[in-house]
Amino acid sequence: MTYCLGILVKEGLVLAADSRTSAGVDYISSYRKLFDFSKPGDRVILLCTSGNLSITQAVVHKLTQDIKRDREFNLHSLPTLYDVARYLGDQIRALQEADRPWLEKDKIDFQCSFLLGGQVQGEAPELFLVYSQGNCIQATRETPFLQIGETKYGKPILDRTLGFDVPLDAVAKCALLSIDSTMRSNLSVGPPIHMAMYQANSFEVRHRAQFHAGDPYLIKMRKHWEVSLREASVAMPDISWNQDDTLSPLGIADLGDA
C-alpha cells in the first residue's frame, strides 16, 4: 500500500507520495512513487503511482521509452493535459491486458492508479486521477485535492485546511501533514516522502523535497502539530451536559427507585 496526493490551487500544484511497498508482513521495501516528466519552458508533467508495482513500473518505463523514441503520441507531444491523461489511461489498459491472465492465475491484484498534475503551454494548471480502468476525473475549485492509495487517514486534515485560494507554501505544509498523519496511523505507508511544488505559469518545477525517517523538519513539524492539537483540544469550550433519560431503557427515575 502507499499514499499519494495532489493538490491544485490558484497559485499552482503540490504533489506528494510516500515510498513504502509491502509484499507481506515480513517484506517491506521502498520505491519512488513520484516522477517528473517535465519539459521546461513547454510543459510540466508530474506523476504519482499507486497499486501493483510491476504494472506501475511498466507504465512508467513505457512512458519514458515513448519520449526517448519520439513516438507520435508521448507525454511531450500531446496538446493538452487531458490528452495526456487519456494517453496514460491507454498505457495502463494495454499493460494490464498483457499481464492480466498470469496475475489472475495466481490471484495477484493487478489494479493501479495514477495522479497526473501539471500544465501545458496555453492552458491553466490541471490535476487528474487516472483509474486502473483507464478513465479519469479532474480536480476542481470545489474539490482541489485528489488522493490514491491509503487515503482515509490523511483526508480530514485536507478537508479542514484546504481551499482554492490557500497560498502554495501553506498547501505544501498541509500535504506533508496529511502524509505524516497517515504514516502515524498506518504502517503500510512510510518514508522517504517525495514532494514537488509547482508555481503556475513558470513551466519549471523549482521546488522539490525528500524527507527520510528522522528528518529534522519532519520531526519539528510533527511535534508542532501534536502540541497545537492538544492545546486546541484543551481550549475548546466545555460541553453543556444535560440529563438524558433516553440512555437507560428503564429511565433515570426508574434507576433511582431500584
Side-chain angles (χ1 to χ4, degrees), residues 232-244 247:
S233 177
V234 172
M236 288 283 290
D238 291 337
I239 296 173
S240 296
W241 296 99
N242 55 51
Q243 297 297 323
D244 185 358
L247 289 177

Side-chain angles (χ1 to χ4, degrees), residues 142-204:
E142 296 74 27
T143 309
F145 67 89
L146 297 170
Q147 304 166 280
I148 55 177
E150 185 56 71
T151 61
K152 58 182 178 291
Y153 297 108
K155 189 173 185 293
I157 290 174
L158 303 177
D159 285 335
R160 292 179 180 272
T161 59
L162 285 182
F164 192 71
D165 294 319
V166 173
L168 201 53
D169 285 336
V171 169
K173 295 175 188 177
C174 292
L176 193 56
L177 279 170
S178 179
I179 291 186
D180 185 67
S181 295
T182 304
M183 291 194 303
R184 182 69 181 266
S185 299
N186 192 319
L187 291 176
S188 70
V189 177
I193 300 167
H194 296 97
M195 290 183 63
M197 185 172 75
Y198 169 65
Q199 184 75 42
N201 302 315
S202 65
F203 295 99
E204 182 182 0

Side-chain angles (χ1 to χ4, degrees), residues 242-258:
N242 55 51
Q243 297 297 323
D244 185 358
D245 294 345
T246 64
L247 289 177
S248 169
L250 299 177
I252 299 297
D254 292 336
L255 286 174
D257 295 337

Side-chain angles (χ1 to χ4, degrees), residues 25 34 49 54 62 102 127 202 241 250 255:
V25 294
L34 175 59
T49 70
S54 67
K62 180 64 164 57
W102 306 103
L127 175 65
S202 65
W241 296 99
L250 299 177
L255 286 174

